[in-house]
Amino acid sequence: MNKLNTSGIIGQFAIYGELTEIKAFGSGHINDTFQSRWNQAGSTVRYTHQRINHNIFIHPDRVMDNILRVTRHIAEKNRTNGIPDWSRRSLTVVPARDGKPWARDTEGGWWRTYLFIENAYTKDTTSSPAEARFLGEGIGLFQKQLSDLPPPELHDTITDFHNMEKRYLRFYEALDKDALNRAKEARSEIDFMRINKDRGASLVCALHEKRIPYRICHNDTKMNNILIDEKDSKALCVIDLDTVMPGTSLFDLGDLIRTVSNSAAEDEQDLSKVDFDIAFFESLLEGYLSQANDFLIPQEIELALESGRNITQIMALRFLTDYLEGDHYYRIRRPSHNLDRCRTQIALIKMMDLKWEIAQKIVHKLTQ
Ligand code: ADP
Ligand code: GN1
Ligand code: MG
């Protein structure tokens, strides 16, 4: 979308002052994100605008309904508890001029606007155990703050999002079709997925068999969906809330383990750099439990380590499926990007397997 069109849609939101700049922003795989700068009677303020990926979120109105409820709940809690800087600790939706939490462009797209949270940043890889601890704490707190969200239930914004069985069905379909004749490039990854199918179902089975409870969770807690405060390097605000819906807390812990404990980036091509960093894992879990211990039950704790392997496997499978289907889902920046991402996830699973016992001892140590 060119700049002119972008300013047109941005003009639909209830923002005062002169627009001085718009630019593309962020590195997410799903939505299109822009940042705008305004002169409001001499003060400079910034906003975040996003075109919601309408192919993936087929009911953007329901997504926004969830986001409003969740962000208001957290903001209200922080405000009434006197938490300093509360307006930077949850996203604030800026309504359109007609009062709706979204605006539509002339091409049928759905847009939303948030206050831009200043003096914060995101990271794709972890630099220190302290950073890992803060990220864990941030997601534990987010889940805790939402544990008393009043009914009704949040909408399911993507059906069966982490349902491994359904993800496997789609993978086998893509493999049968092999529409782009790409399976030959991914033989060993396909074999890995086949061999490990059963163990991949453990979280979903535990949910379906009611061994662990449904809770409100984020469902997409890769580390760059957490804004970090420049002031103290602590987790400041959990963003990218499109998938906040009922699930298990372990989906969130699992995606944190996948991204925070990996010593390399999600799409690292040099697989010798991919490692399951035990020090990061320990600090992450410690930080997460410092908040989540208040509500987790033993059956959830039992699956803590497994959650990391499980979510890593689901991501490997989803990247591979998208590669076979022709890269329709994830944004790519090179031809085999999705295959590279899949390979990194598999390398990480293998490192987790290798360090399983030591990691399990850490779980026991932290939960005794
Ligand atoms: P995607 O779904 O594409 O991953 P995100 O919601 O994660 O999109 O946003 C992409 C990036 O934009 C984030 O990683 C973050 O850097 C930045 N961002 C998003 N919302 C805000 C905000 N309210 N304030 C500051 N930065 C933001
Ligand atoms: C997508 O939106 P983003 O880039 O934070 C994806 C996640 C994957 C992630 C892998 C709605 O997250 O499920 O874990 O890519 N989000 C959706 O990087 O599919
Ligand atoms: Mg994101």
Side-chain angles (χ1 to χ4, degrees), residues 10-25:
I10 288 173
Q12 290 194 40
F13 288 94
I15 302 176
Y16 297 107
E18 292 162 58
L19 176 63
T20 55
E21 187 189 39
I22 307 174
K23 59 180 185 192
F25 195 68

Side-chain angles (χ1 to χ4, degrees), residues 136-367:
E137 204 176 6
I139 293 300
L141 176 64
F142 178 83
Q143 292 181 341
K144 189 158 80 175
Q145 287 177 318
L146 292 177
S147 61
D148 62 352
L149 184 80
E153 244 183 30
L154 293 174
H155 306 283
D156 259 344
T157 56
I158 301 184
T159 318
D160 291 319
F161 189 52
H162 286 312
N163 187 329
M164 189 72 102
E165 290 156 24
K166 298 270 169 67
R167 295 285 183 187
Y168 262 98
L169 288 178
R170 173 107 185 232
F171 163 66
Y172 283 129
E173 264 173 41
L175 190 56
D176 282 348
K177 279 196 194 129
D178 194 16
L180 295 156
N181 197 21
R182 285 181 166 184
K184 62 181 189 318
E185 310 295 336
R187 277 290 152 225
S188 69
E189 291 75 23
I190 292 167
D191 286 347
F192 182 90
M193 286 304 156
R194 281 202 173 110
I195 292 165
N196 290 290
K197 179 172 186 288
D198 289 345
R199 77 175 180 184
S202 49
L203 293 190
V204 174
C205 277
L207 261 181
H208 289 170
E209 289 166 10
K210 300 191 165 49
R211 279 183 279 126
I212 56 175
Y214 277 93
R215 300 185 192 278
I216 295 174
C217 57
H218 182 285
N219 287 297
D220 185 3
T221 49
K222 73 170 165 187
M223 58 183 288
N224 70 14
N225 285 329
I226 304 169
L227 290 181
I228 300 172
D229 199 339
E230 272 174 12
K231 186 181 67 205
D232 53 14
S233 307
K234 292 190 174 176
L236 176 69
C237 177
V238 180
I239 60 168
D240 207 347
L241 305 175
D242 304 284
T243 50
V244 177
M245 57 184 160
T248 151
S249 314
L250 296 170
F251 291 152
D252 291 356
L253 176 60
D255 209 26
L256 271 178
I257 295 173
R258 175 181 80 87
T259 52
V260 176
S261 318
N262 184 357
S263 57
E266 182 181 69
D267 57 355
E268 175 59 60
Q269 287 174 283
D270 178 355
L271 297 183
S272 69
K273 291 189 182 153
V274 177
D275 189 16
F276 177 48
D277 188 303
I278 285 292
F280 291 171
F281 170 71
E282 176 162 6
S283 296
L284 165 69
L285 190 62
E286 211 173 7
Y288 175 72
L289 291 172
S290 71
Q291 299 292 331
N293 254 338
D294 292 359
F295 58 85
L296 290 182
I297 59 168
Q299 289 80 354
E300 289 172 293
I301 288 172
E302 235 170 68
L303 286 166
L305 178 57
E306 186 63 56
S307 75
R309 187 165 65 181
N310 219 269
I311 292 292
T312 309
Q313 184 172 339
I314 214 164
M315 293 313 152
L317 187 72
R318 289 177 59 195
F319 289 138
L320 183 56
T321 306
D322 199 31
Y323 175 72
L324 295 173
E325 287 179 345
D327 310 308
H328 301 304
Y329 191 93
Y330 294 106
R331 185 173 295 132
I332 54 162
R333 286 185 301 280
R334 52 179 185 262
S336 297
H337 208 161
N338 274 317
L339 183 56
D340 292 342
R341 288 169 176 151
C342 165
R343 287 183 172 146
T344 310
Q345 305 313 298
I346 291 177
L348 182 61
I349 294 173
K350 288 181 178 166
M351 294 313 293
M352 287 173 171
D353 285 345
L354 213 63
K355 299 187 180 184
W356 196 258
E357 275 170 27
I358 175 163
Q360 201 57 269
K361 278 190 188 137
I362 288 167
V363 178
H364 288 146
K365 185 178 85 182
L366 295 178
T367 53

Side-chain angles (χ1 to χ4, degrees), residues 25-33 48 50 91 112 114-118 121-122 220 222 224-225 227 239-242 331:
F25 195 68
S27 61
H29 299 338
I30 305 294
N31 296 311
D32 296 318
T33 304
T48 299
Q50 286 183 322
L91 289 170
R112 66 179 163 223
Y114 296 119
L115 297 186
F116 185 85
I117 298 176
E118 297 288 348
Y121 59 93
T122 56
D220 185 3
K222 73 170 165 187
N224 70 14
N225 285 329
L227 290 181
I239 60 168
D240 207 347
L241 305 175
D242 304 284
R331 185 173 295 132

Side-chain angles (χ1 to χ4, degrees), residues 36-47:
S36 68
R37 189 182 288 271
W38 298 69
N39 172 0
Q40 289 181 348
S43 298
T44 300
V45 289
R46 294 197 281 178
Y47 293 85

